[in-house]
Amino acid sequence: MIARIIIGIIVVLVIVYVCCGFRIVPQNNEGLVETLGKYSKTVKAGFIFVWPLFQRIRKVPLALQPLEISKYSIITKDNAEISTSLTLNYLVTDSYRYFYNNTDSVESMVQLIRGHLRDIIGRMDLNAALGSTKEINDQLFTATGDLTDIYGIKVVRVNVDELLPSAEIQRAMDKQLTADREKTAAIAKAEGEARTIEMTTKAKNDALVATAKANAEQADADAYRVQKMQEALSKAGEGYFRNQSLDSFNQLAQGPNNLIVVGKDEITELGKVPALKKVWDESGKSEEN
């Protein structure tokens, strides 16, 4: 009877022992089986059995994992201090190396990335660093891509989220930016005024040229008219000039003036002028003689 009880106890303990040895490795994980503290084998995701008390299993996730690296300071080539922060995505490619080759593979990877970023930015001046985020990302990804393999990790993406100069440098940059804007505005204003003066001067010159051209054309017209008159007078006979003199005397005689001025050579011819003399009386009435 006692023997049966002992055997039953032993059977129950064996069943419990065996049941305690069943394990489940989740999807996107690998299991590292250790026997008496020493690595034994790697198992895939699924239902497995290990010997309790003698073996244990360590689960290593293989899925893509995000990581944020907090802000830290970097000195540029021109001794300017800037702070930066990064985000990256990595995954475990070799669970054995990830777990056994380093006490903290993730922290080692972070230190490696920080060191390469310091080296990349340390060879650039401030302005180049602030304007070359994409180039920095590319260089950093290339530099750290193969080196993390020793930790069983692959960096899929690394991104520099921000590059911020120190507060003193930001204030200096703001002042410089303000000065540049004021300089640009002053140059634009001066160029505008110079352009206005140039256009005004050109308009005045064009007006002077147009006036001179018009005066020249008028002078040419007057000269042409005088020339034609001279040509016509040179061809006119003595009768033409006599008729002109008679018309002039008639016009003078019809006016209120009684005084006629003639040359001494023409005084003998005065009697031949058929002019009418107007005599005005005190009442304003005229009589013809």
Side-chain angles (χ1 to χ4, degrees):
M1 185 67 182
I2 295 176
R4 289 180 179 179
I5 294 174
I6 294 174
I7 291 173
I9 293 173
I10 293 173
V11 170
V12 171
L13 291 175
V14 170
I15 293 173
V16 172
Y17 177 80
V18 172
C19 290
C20 290
F22 290 105
R23 298 286 189 275
I24 296 177
V25 178
Q27 181 69 25
N28 286 334
N29 282 261
E30 281 185 347
L32 301 176
V33 179
E34 296 176 349
T35 302
L36 298 177
K38 184 179 180 180
Y39 169 77
S40 177
K41 61 180 178 179
T42 300
V43 296
K44 302 297 182 182
F47 191 71
I48 64 170
F49 176 79
V50 295
W51 295 105
L53 303 179
F54 299 99
Q55 292 182 322
R56 62 179 298 184
I57 183 169
R58 298 183 182 275
K59 300 173 185 178
V60 179
L62 303 179
L64 190 67
Q65 299 187 53
L67 180 64
E68 181 179 354
I69 301 178
S70 59
K71 292 183 179 180
Y72 64 100
S73 298
I74 299 177
I75 304 299
T76 62
K77 182 179 179 180
D78 51 351
N79 295 323
E81 181 181 356
I82 59 176
S83 62
T84 180
S85 61
L86 299 90
T87 56
L88 59 88
N89 295 93
Y90 72 95
L91 53 82
V92 177
T93 56
D94 190 324
S95 56
Y96 178 85
R97 291 182 179 181
Y98 173 77
F99 194 82
Y100 294 109
N101 283 8
N102 202 302
T103 57
D104 192 339
S105 294
V106 174
E107 181 61 25
S108 297
M109 175 188 66
V110 169
Q111 293 177 2
L112 179 67
I113 291 175
R114 283 181 173 178
H116 278 285
L117 184 59
R118 285 194 179 97
D119 179 66
I120 293 171
I121 295 180
R123 289 183 278 108
M124 306 171 70
D125 57 28
L126 178 61
N127 292 331
L130 295 178
S132 306
T133 305
K134 184 179 183 302
E135 290 76 6
I136 293 174
N137 290 336
D138 294 340
Q139 293 183 39
L140 186 60
F141 180 80
T142 302
T144 60
D146 297 331
L147 297 178
T148 56
D149 185 61
I150 192 175
Y151 309 129
I153 296 175
K154 180 180 180 181
V155 177
V156 178
R157 184 188 68 87
V158 60
N159 183 67
V160 178
D161 291 333
E162 61 180 13
L163 290 171
L164 296 177
S166 62
E168 293 79 7
I169 295 177
Q170 288 187 26
R171 286 193 292 269
M173 292 176 66
D174 291 340
K175 291 180 180 179
Q176 181 64 36
L177 182 60
T178 301
D180 291 341
R181 288 177 177 174
E182 292 177 351
K183 178 181 178 181
T184 302
I187 292 174
K189 181 179 179 181
E191 290 177 348
E193 293 176 351
R195 180 61 177 168
T196 301
I197 294 173
E198 179 183 356
M199 294 177 65
T200 303
T201 303
K202 184 177 183 301
K204 290 181 179 179
N205 291 338
D206 292 343
L208 292 174
V209 171
T211 302
K213 185 181 293 186
N215 293 335
E217 292 177 354
Q218 182 64 37
D220 292 340
D222 293 341
Y224 179 77
R225 181 173 57 83
V226 171
Q227 179 183 359
K228 289 300 182 181
M229 290 181 63
Q230 290 177 349
E231 291 177 357
L233 291 174
S234 63
K235 296 178 181 180
E238 183 179 354
Y240 172 79
F241 293 104
R242 183 176 298 276
N243 290 334
Q244 292 295 317
S245 298
L246 292 175
D247 290 339
S248 299
F249 280 119
N250 285 329
Q251 292 176 5
L252 288 172
Q254 294 174 3
N257 297 321
N258 295 325
L259 178 63
I260 299 175
V261 179
V262 296
K264 64 180 181 177
D265 296 333
E266 297 175 351
I267 192 64
T268 57
E269 303 292 334
L270 184 61
K272 301 178 181 180
V273 177
L276 295 179
K277 178 180 179 183
K278 292 183 178 180
V279 178
W280 297 83
D281 57 9
E282 295 179 355
S283 60
K285 296 180 179 179
S286 62
E287 296 179 357
E288 296 181 357
N289 294 329

